[in-house]
Amino acid sequence: MAVRPRPLTVAGVAVAGIVFLLVAGTIAAVAVRADGGAGLRPSDLAAIRFTLWQAVLSAILSVGLAVPVARALARRRFAGRRLLVTLLGAPFILPVIVAVLGLLMVFGRGGWINAAGTGMGLPPVSIYGPWGVVLAHVFFNLPLAVRLILQGWLAVPSERFRLAASLGLGPWATFRLIELPILRGIVPGAALIVFLVCTTSFAVALALGGGPRATTIELAIYQAFRFDFDLGRAALLALVQLAVTVAAATLALTVALPDTLGGGLDRHVARWDLARRWPDGIRIGLAALFLLLPLAALILRGVPNLAGLDTSAWLAAMRSVVTAMGATVLTLCAALPVAVAMQRLRWGRVVEGLASLAIAASPLVVGTGLFILIFPLVDPALMALPVTALVNAAMALPFAIRAIGPQVAQTEARYGPLADSLGLTGAARLRLLILPRLCRPLGFAAGLTAALSMGDLGVVALFADGRSETLPLHLYRLMGAYRMDDAAGAAVLLLALSLGAFWALDRGGRVDAGA
Amino acid sequence: MRLTMIGLTLSASLPVHAQDRPVLDVYTYDSFVAEWGPGPALEQAFEAQCACDLRFTAIGDGAAMLARLRLEGARTKADVVVGLDTALMAEAGATGLFAPSGIGNVDWALPVDWTDDTFVPYDWGWFAFVHDRDFDPPASFRDLAQSDASILIQDPRSSTPGLGLLLWVKAAYGDEAPDIWEGLADNIVTVTKGWSEAYGLFLEGEADMVLSYSTSPAYHLIAEGDDSRAAAAFDEGHYLQVEIAAALAGSDRPDLARDFLRFLTTDAAQGVLPTTNWMYPAVMPEQGLPDGFASLPKPDRTLEIPAEDVPAIRDQALQEWLSALAR
Amino acid sequence: MLALENVVIRLDDFGLRADLAVPPQARVAVMGPSGAGKSTLLGAIGGFVLLSGGRIAFDGQDITTLHPAARPVATIFQDNNLFPHLTVARNVALGITHRRPDTATRARVADALMQVGLDGFGDRLPGSLSGGQQGRAALARALVRDKPLWLLDEPFAALGPGLRARMIALVDAVAARAGATVLMVTHDPTDAAALGGEIVVVANGMAAAPRPAARLLADPPPALAAYLRR
């Protein structure tokens, strides 16, 4: 078949290049501004060890727990299922500080569980410590892992389950023969994503870690910046973080086996391997309790204070919505070409890796690097929201790629020859084949980006000048001024906006064209 | 991209008036410029007398602001910074970015003598542990270490009060500081990134006490009418934080910068600070302190490490802190 | 006329040679053991498999390096012949245009659907069609593509013998009206016989020149005989 340059593929490669430049360029900018030589300290090595330890455990536990939950959700239809799936995503998109508060309202020393425990005469349980960090990270990332795996499950053609039924396969055989191959394709990627999210963790690790034992690389970077003003060390640590990430990514992608089994026609997934209901019910129920109780605590705490929010909170909310929309558009425009290029090019893995780099980058280093680059040109405050949207888009890109990548691959594998034989290329191929087949994951990716961007407090804090504050920044400022009640109200508003955006976009994606 | 442009317009909601008046750029920390902070009142009062346009730029906290100034170097647009403190003073002075204030003699209401002629104090406070009134607090760090009381503190590497506590223990105990920290290890519930997290956790009942300021109860009393919080008085004395402002040497409006520094020491500014920044005024305003401040504990001793000694002591104290708590 | 001149295909440890010609409007069944390269041969003609040597020409024009869509070829695959998110009519219309179909296109589509016996099925989605109906829809699209060479890669393998025979008769009739040459991969000598025409035997790394089906089936060469006996 004749090979011609295709605009989407070229764009995908360009996006990967831009993300690489963003990450590498900002580290370089920070390094160039460094005054003297830099070296790692013994405490930095401890930080690297702890970072790896908690990230690996968090990834294994999140994904390990996500598999049965996603399986149960994929097999069962019940009233409120969609709402539940959306709500389960909430912890991931909350600003860290808010989610930590919610978590502690339930699991903390003064939380519901200990209150119930002492009521029954049990000694109080403390969640602070290394395992508290892992618990918090599972709380944050289990929903993401569930969604990513659920996405893969729903992509299993119903024909295969029918085949399994006709062969009289039991649940275990069905799992081994049909679902396991899917999992092998999707689980390493999901675990990798969780691992990466956890490597740049900082405030959560510290708050629940109970002390400086829980120092992560990101905290060491933070220290290098504000305590020592040692830019060289900050850049070096950022490089270490990146190296760790690339190594982990290489490993995970080597293990991942793409699912290349044949396709099927869109029919409702009816399952015949469902013997008993209650095990699935218990799995879903436990996950829902774990993830939703802290949300309930936050909502109960915040709703009475919603009415007290003033105009500045609503203005900040508006800015957040606009920024999130910008980030969403950017992410979708970037993710689609990357997913296509990943699929079409022989070195697609490299494209995928480069485009995913931002997730492994230190937000502080990216922000500072951008600041160093932008400062000589324009007033950074003017660029606060565009830069925030750009960085949020780059950070959300890896999730978006993971969400739509497998579907692009599957679409190309099943319908690529047919499309080729019909001469479907360029815009027509995009419009008639790729976009319609991608509705579901695109909606999911859009919702995720919007929600993530809405709750992000990364870069904006470095650029904002007090006038262009977003809702998370506003919330943080309220907390910094004793106004915990107002902050609780703002947290509920933020939660509502994030979930609302996720719900609307994700749902938009589920209105499939004729499926 | 159109969406981003809308964002740009939203973000650029700069005041449209005062196009032709000289602009004074002031860097300060986040909570200073919030509508409940001192920023708005100060801006209004100063603009009424200066025929200028005062523009605040809010940057994280004091340490973040200093890092930002070092990144920007001599090219910074800032004319004045408000919000450094005594723990950062030596480091800030060493950058050579700041000019003598030139504000002359002031009758300071500080618990220590003030002689520096570059940095201008505008408010101050003592670090203290805040607790519920019905909790019986320990009377010293040693008491605390021996008690079951649980505390929330901030990480000195990422937080101003966290660093304050480090210096507090060091100033009180010198070479014995590591022992104190080892004794405190089992009292510490957790260490947070910043003040907000720790204080938030405290208000949700996660610990008996939280590291904050001796003036914190005044906020609850005056702003919320809630007298259930108190600050514990420690026998060792309390460490002092003086918040300071300074003019940039590279400012192209040095006279206006000096006028603003002087303005900070007047009643128009000092009368506002106690109930917006919740700290003691650096110069006693004519109307005195607000009512709620009378009930606050007054430490017998004020602890302080001379500004020029802070950088060396700080690094040593951090190592001690890390090794004591990492066990 | 389709001509494969000294064609060599190599894929890893698999190899296939072909040097043969197919006359215009012929009906050719491609037969041979599993894995011998029947589908690969069709893929090479259709443009999905690259040649390692030789050339393919149609009516004197060299099509060896043309894009699949640019070849004078319409392909019906084993499966995935229809986009499941588009209606049957739209699927067929894609053989004419990638734009929204205009009145003339719709008329041609309706005519093609009628010819294959799918009158009134235009607005249905492929998922709601039976296997035979899906095959008919794919055939309708091959028809509107207006290509002189049809490649059928076991499209009816999943259908029952009776239905398969009816579909092959339909292909023959529709292709006759369109004046098209048909190459069809099949396992079943009955199908080859039903198609009439000739047989290309693919075995032992070689695609033999077409020979009349009736005579070949009556007196099969060793390779085909071995395959048919099984």
Side-chain angles (χ1 to χ4, degrees):
Chain A
M1 171 168 92
V3 177
R4 288 176 295 178
R6 294 158 139 183
L8 264 185
T9 315
V10 174
V13 174
V15 167
I18 290 170
V19 174
F20 175 74
L21 275 184
L22 180 70
V23 173
T26 48
I27 294 180
V30 171
V32 164
R33 275 300 308 273
D35 293 328
L40 294 183
R41 303 171 177 176
S43 60
D44 295 332
L45 298 180
I48 294 169
R49 261 202 315 274
F50 177 76
T51 305
L52 286 177
W53 178 86
Q54 56 85 15
V56 166
L57 270 181
S58 304
I60 292 175
L61 281 177
S62 298
V63 172
L65 294 173
V67 167
V69 177
R71 186 176 198 232
L73 282 171
R75 307 200 294 185
R76 302 292 174 187
R77 294 287 176 280
F78 51 89
R81 178 177 169 276
R82 283 187 174 181
L83 183 66
L84 181 68
V85 170
T86 302
L87 280 177
L88 288 184
F92 188 69
I93 55 192
L94 278 177
V96 162
I97 184 173
V98 176
V100 165
L101 279 179
L103 200 58
L104 290 177
M105 283 180 205
V106 175
F107 297 99
R109 291 161 48 96
W112 293 355
I113 295 205
N114 268 324
T118 21
M120 291 183 290
L122 297 172
V125 184
S126 170
I127 71 162
Y128 297 97
W131 288 99
V133 178
V134 174
L135 176 85
H137 281 158
V138 171
F139 173 72
F140 276 105
N141 294 301
L142 177 62
L144 178 72
V146 167
R147 280 307 296 256
L148 285 175
I149 295 173
L150 185 59
Q151 209 78 33
W153 227 295
L154 293 178
V156 180
S158 51
E159 281 84 345
R160 284 191 222 168
F161 290 109
R162 226 175 301 156
L163 175 66
S166 71
L167 294 173
L169 299 182
W172 172 240
T174 305
F175 178 76
R176 198 163 39 84
L177 293 174
I178 298 177
E179 299 174 315
L180 204 57
I182 302 293
L183 287 176
R184 283 191 70 183
I186 202 158
V187 157
L192 176 64
I193 288 273
V194 176
F195 172 86
L196 295 183
V197 171
C198 295
T199 50
T200 55
S201 171
F202 159 16
V204 181
L206 197 54
L208 286 160
R213 269 160 306 176
T215 296
T216 57
I217 302 178
E218 187 70 13
L219 174 54
I221 293 175
Y222 205 78
Q223 178 189 352
F225 262 114
R226 56 167 287 152
F227 197 87
D228 306 319
F229 198 70
D230 184 346
L231 294 180
R233 210 170 121 245
L236 193 59
L237 284 164
L239 276 180
V240 167
Q241 203 170 55
L242 215 54
V244 164
T245 309
V246 170
T250 315
L251 186 71
L253 295 181
T254 320
V255 179
L257 292 179
D259 170 44
T260 50
L261 299 175
L265 297 163
D266 295 348
R267 287 198 182 93
H268 177 69
V269 182
R271 298 280 300 262
W272 290 268
D273 56 329
L274 307 178
R276 288 164 303 179
R277 270 172 173 276
W278 59 266
D280 279 347
I282 287 178
R283 284 173 203 129
I284 295 172
L286 281 180
L289 267 186
F290 173 52
L291 297 173
L292 298 185
L293 272 184
L295 285 189
L298 282 174
I299 292 170
L300 286 178
R301 173 86 172 80
V303 162
N305 302 302
L306 260 183
L309 291 179
D310 55 14
T311 34
S312 63
W314 294 103
L315 270 177
M318 208 165 75
R319 273 185 220 106
S320 280
V321 169
V322 170
T323 312
M325 286 196 291
T328 305
V329 172
L330 276 176
T331 305
L332 291 188
C333 290
L336 188 63
V338 170
V340 170
M342 257 159 64
Q343 157 65 21
R344 285 185 187 157
L345 295 176
R346 190 187 301 259
W347 32 280
R349 289 285 195 206
V350 179
V351 174
E352 179 180 7
L354 288 181
S356 305
L357 264 192
I359 195 181
S362 155
L364 191 62
V365 172
V366 169
T368 308
L370 277 177
F371 182 87
I372 292 172
L373 294 173
I374 288 175
F375 173 68
L377 305 174
V378 276
D379 181 359
L382 287 179
M383 299 302 290
L385 296 189
V387 163
T388 304
L390 174 73
V391 173
N392 286 342
M395 301 269 178
L397 189 56
F399 306 108
I401 294 172
R402 283 242 69 90
I404 66 179
Q407 188 78 21
V408 170
Q410 227 166 40
T411 303
E412 286 285 341
R414 284 183 202 167
Y415 304 109
L418 176 59
D420 282 342
S421 78
L422 292 171
L424 273 182
T425 53
R429 194 183 186 101
L430 191 64
R431 184 167 48 87
L432 290 171
L433 175 60
I434 296 180
L435 285 180
R437 299 310 298 167
L438 286 187
C439 271
R440 221 183 254 241
L442 273 181
F444 171 63
L448 194 63
T449 308
L452 269 182
S453 174
M454 204 88 76
D456 179 64
L457 178 68
V459 193
V460 73
L462 287 169
F463 282 79
D465 62 350
R467 292 183 186 86
S468 52
E469 62 174 12
T470 56
L471 190 53
L473 189 54
H474 183 74
L475 191 162
Y476 202 81
R477 284 177 174 166
L478 284 167
M479 285 191 72
Y482 295 98
R483 290 161 193 263
M484 303 296 168
D485 286 343
D486 292 341
V492 171
L493 176 60
L494 184 57
L495 184 63
L497 283 177
S498 293
L499 278 179
F502 184 80
W503 169 258
L505 291 168
D506 189 33
R507 188 179 171 76
R510 276 188 264 111
V511 183
D512 271 3
Chain B
M1 282 315 285
R2 194 183 302 148
L3 292 173
T4 324
M5 291 310 294
I6 297 172
L8 200 67
T9 333
L10 273 175
S11 74
S13 50
L14 299 168
V16 281
H17 61 281
Q19 296 290 347
D20 44 353
R21 288 189 284 165
V23 174
L24 185 71
D25 276 303
V26 177
Y27 282 11
T28 187
Y29 48 76
D30 255 356
S31 56
F32 202 85
V33 297
E35 68 260 31
W36 51 78
L42 261 52
E43 185 175 344
Q44 200 184 10
F46 186 64
E47 283 181 350
Q49 65 181 65
C50 73
C52 70
D53 179 13
L54 175 65
R55 286 187 192 164
F56 283 116
T57 299
I59 303 157
D61 65 357
M65 191 163 36
L66 183 57
R68 167 90 170 251
L69 281 170
R70 288 168 119 171
L71 282 179
E72 296 185 350
R75 278 189 304 183
T76 182
K77 68 168 184 181
D79 299 301
V80 174
V81 292
V82 175
L84 302 176
D85 69 4
T86 31
L88 294 167
M89 202 164 106
E91 248 187 296
T95 62
L97 288 169
F98 300 99
S101 65
I103 59 162
N105 284 330
V106 178
D107 182 20
W108 300 114
L110 299 168
V112 292
D113 286 337
W114 192 263
T115 52
D116 193 274
D117 59 1
T118 297
F119 298 101
V120 177
Y122 63 91
D123 64 17
W124 60 277
W126 287 291
F127 292 112
F129 285 95
V130 171
H131 59 87
D132 282 350
R133 194 166 288 287
D134 53 13
F135 173 77
D136 185 21
S140 68
F141 281 110
R142 286 198 195 283
D143 274 4
L144 174 57
Q146 277 157 19
S147 73
D148 297 337
S150 56
I151 57 171
L152 290 158
I153 63 171
Q154 299 87 3
D155 195 307
R157 295 169 290 178
S158 55
S159 139
T160 303
L163 179 58
L165 178 63
L166 201 65
L167 298 176
W168 183 3
V169 173
K170 195 69 188 166
Y173 288 97
D175 294 343
E176 289 176 66
D179 302 337
I180 296 295
W181 281 116
E182 273 173 38
L184 290 176
D186 60 351
N187 299 92
I188 297 171
V189 170
T190 196
V191 180
T192 64
K193 177 189 171 193
W195 178 90
S196 309
E197 289 94 337
Y199 211 83
L201 291 184
F202 165 70
L203 292 183
E204 298 304 331
E206 282 299 291
D208 300 323
M209 306 205 293
V210 61
L211 176 67
S212 186
Y213 295 90
S214 71
T215 43
S216 296
Y219 170 81
H220 298 288
L221 190 63
I222 297 172
E224 297 175 340
D226 171 8
D227 69 347
S228 68
R229 319 279 177 193
F234 274 20
D235 297 340
E236 296 95 333
H238 287 244
Y239 196 81
L240 174 73
Q241 182 196 23
V242 181
E243 295 200 283
I244 50 181
L248 272 296
S251 166
D252 47 4
R253 308 191 189 286
D255 295 343
L256 203 51
R258 192 185 55 234
D259 289 348
F260 182 69
L261 291 178
R262 193 172 285 145
F263 163 80
L264 277 180
T265 65
T266 63
D267 275 11
Q270 293 291 316
V272 168
L273 287 163
T275 52
T276 49
N277 224 26
W278 305 102
M279 296 284 269
Y280 287 105
V283 176
M284 191 54 69
E286 205 181 329
Q287 66 266 36
L289 288 170
D291 284 345
F293 276 62
S295 63
L296 301 174
K298 286 263 192 272
D300 301 331
R301 285 180 62 195
T302 292
L303 297 175
E304 200 196 16
I305 292 174
E308 61 274 19
D309 298 340
V310 168
I313 289 179
R314 180 193 88 146
D315 287 350
Q316 188 204 346
L318 178 67
Q319 285 317 311
E320 293 170 1
W321 183 80
L322 285 173
S323 49
L325 293 189
R327 265 175 227 155
Chain C
M1 185 172 82
L2 172 71
L4 278 65
E5 301 169 6
N6 299 313
V7 163
V8 180
I9 302 163
R10 258 187 231 103
L11 299 167
D12 300 326
D13 56 348
F14 168 87
L16 183 68
R17 297 175 166 278
D19 190 49
L20 54 91
V22 176
Q25 302 202 33
R27 302 285 178 269
V28 180
V30 181
M31 297 192 72
S34 270
K38 303 184 291 293
S39 294
T40 309
L41 182 68
L42 253 63
I45 301 169
F48 300 103
V49 177
L50 286 177
L51 299 194
S52 309
R55 64 193 282 273
I56 301 175
F58 190 83
D59 284 351
Q61 187 207 356
D62 187 345
I63 62 167
T64 314
T65 57
L66 285 185
H67 185 272
R71 300 189 180 211
V73 168
T75 305
I76 301 181
F77 300 97
Q78 257 171 14
D79 45 27
N80 296 323
N81 279 302
L82 303 169
F83 294 119
H85 51 281
L86 301 177
T87 62
V88 168
R90 195 74 203 279
N91 263 294
V92 174
L94 282 181
I96 303 168
T97 176
H98 300 161
R99 290 178 216 281
R100 195 155 281 284
D102 56 17
T103 320
T105 306
R106 279 203 297 274
R108 274 181 70 193
V109 169
D111 177 56
L113 285 174
M114 199 167 64
Q115 287 197 45
V116 300
L118 279 185
D119 206 6
F121 282 77
D123 293 332
R124 302 264 289 264
L125 286 173
S128 66
L129 299 190
S130 72
Q133 287 165 335
Q134 287 176 19
R136 285 167 195 263
L139 192 58
R141 191 176 50 218
L143 186 60
V144 300
R145 293 207 65 196
D146 218 5
K147 302 276 188 178
L149 177 58
W150 293 6
L151 305 178
L152 283 64
D153 191 357
E154 294 192 80
F156 314 126
L159 307 180
L163 187 53
R164 209 157 65 218
R166 279 206 297 284
M167 288 303 295
I168 290 170
L170 181 64
V171 168
D172 182 38
V174 172
R177 248 173 283 152
T181 308
V182 176
L183 265 71
M184 182 179 82
V185 173
T186 178
H187 276 105
D188 191 340
T190 333
D191 289 356
L195 193 61
E198 290 151 305
I199 293 180
V200 165
V201 176
V202 180
N204 305 325
M206 187 72 190
R211 295 179 41 200
R215 221 183 314 154
L216 200 68
L217 290 171
D219 177 21
L224 185 62
Y227 166 64
L228 290 178
R229 267 200 302 277
R230 233 179 295 129

